[in-house]
Amino acid sequence: VSVDGLAAKSLLLVGYGNTSRRDDGAAAHILESLLLRLGMSPEVIGGDDDIEPGPGLKVLFLHQLAPELAELVAQYDTVVFIDAHVDGAGWAPLCWQPIEAAVEAGMVGHHLKPSVVVALAESLYGARPDAFMLSVLGHDFNFGEELSPETQTLAQEAVDRLVQVVHDHGRRPV
């Protein structure tokens, strides 16, 4: 796939979190806003479907990461995991960092880290995509669907970052 003479790299965006726990659902809000910026309807975010806004670009939202995701991750050149983090994690309010493949335990038994998904893609499928974490600081994890004002501001900054990532991978937002 090429755009404007540049080779486009395949890109997978994987948001995850609980949309019923306010800021924990920040990734869904971020992906919805991104899809709107790409000129697409964000209606399926939060469902079980994934969306392909164009060749080599897939957007997926999950409640939590699972080992089965490794097979899909292995099919892409670049994968960006999108989530919210809590204060005290040692991360900047808007955190962008590379992910190294590593098998490590999560904070709780049902929480799989992106580094483990990348390690599984490498060990099971021989694929090592460039992987990144994009996370925003969550301020309110109580029940509800709206983001806190502070996290909403960070979410918009995250969308700006993802628009640049999409552009860098050979796609033009509308």
Side-chain angles (χ1 to χ4, degrees), residues 15-19 21-33 45 61 82-85 135-138 141 145-148 151-152 154-156 158-159:
Y16 59 101
N18 185 341
T19 56
R21 297 300 298 255
R22 295 188 47 106
D23 292 350
D24 194 44
H29 291 269
I30 290 167
L31 292 174
E32 286 174 353
S33 293
I45 294 295
F61 181 79
I82 305 154
D83 193 17
H85 62 274
S135 187
V136 296
L137 177 62
F141 294 89
E145 295 182 1
E146 296 298 317
L147 296 180
S148 67
T151 299
Q152 179 62 43
L154 293 169
Q156 288 309 308
V159 171

Side-chain angles (χ1 to χ4, degrees), residues 52-74:
E52 295 189 44
L57 175 60
K58 185 180 286 262
V59 177
L60 176 65
F61 181 79
L62 305 167
H63 182 75
Q64 63 188 25
L65 302 180
E68 297 81 16
L69 185 59
E71 182 178 8
L72 181 62
V73 165

Side-chain angles (χ1 to χ4, degrees), residues 6 49 55 63 72 90 113 139 161 165-166 169:
L6 301 172
D49 297 326
H63 182 75
L72 181 62
K113 293 184 176 190
H139 295 85
R161 179 69 183 245
V165 169
V166 168
H169 279 78

Side-chain angles (χ1 to χ4, degrees), residues 36-169:
L36 286 171
R37 294 264 297 266
L38 295 175
M40 299 191 62
S41 171
E43 294 173 0
V44 298
I45 294 295
D48 292 330
D49 297 326
D50 51 3
I51 338 173
E52 295 189 44
L57 175 60
K58 185 180 286 262
V59 177
L60 176 65
F61 181 79
L62 305 167
H63 182 75
Q64 63 188 25
L65 302 180
E68 297 81 16
L69 185 59
E71 182 178 8
L72 181 62
V73 165
Q75 298 173 30
Y76 285 82
D77 296 315
T78 304
V79 60
V80 179
F81 294 91
I82 305 154
D83 193 17
H85 62 274
V86 296
D87 197 21
W91 292 358
L94 178 64
C95 181
W96 173 268
Q97 63 185 16
I99 295 173
E100 295 298 324
V103 177
E104 53 186 305
M107 289 178 19
V108 290
H110 67 272
H111 180 78
L112 190 67
K113 293 184 176 190
S115 59
V116 176
V117 175
V118 174
L120 288 170
E122 187 172 30
S123 66
L124 295 174
Y125 304 100
R128 178 57 177 96
D130 295 328
F132 300 91
M133 183 75 213
L134 175 60
S135 187
V136 296
L137 177 62
H139 295 85
D140 183 350
F141 294 89
N142 288 315
F143 290 106
E145 295 182 1
E146 296 298 317
L147 296 180
S148 67
E150 301 89 352
T151 299
Q152 179 62 43
T153 298
L154 293 169
Q156 288 309 308
E157 292 176 32
V159 171
D160 293 341
R161 179 69 183 245
L162 287 174
V163 166
Q164 186 61 50
V165 169
V166 168
H167 179 269
D168 290 349
H169 279 78

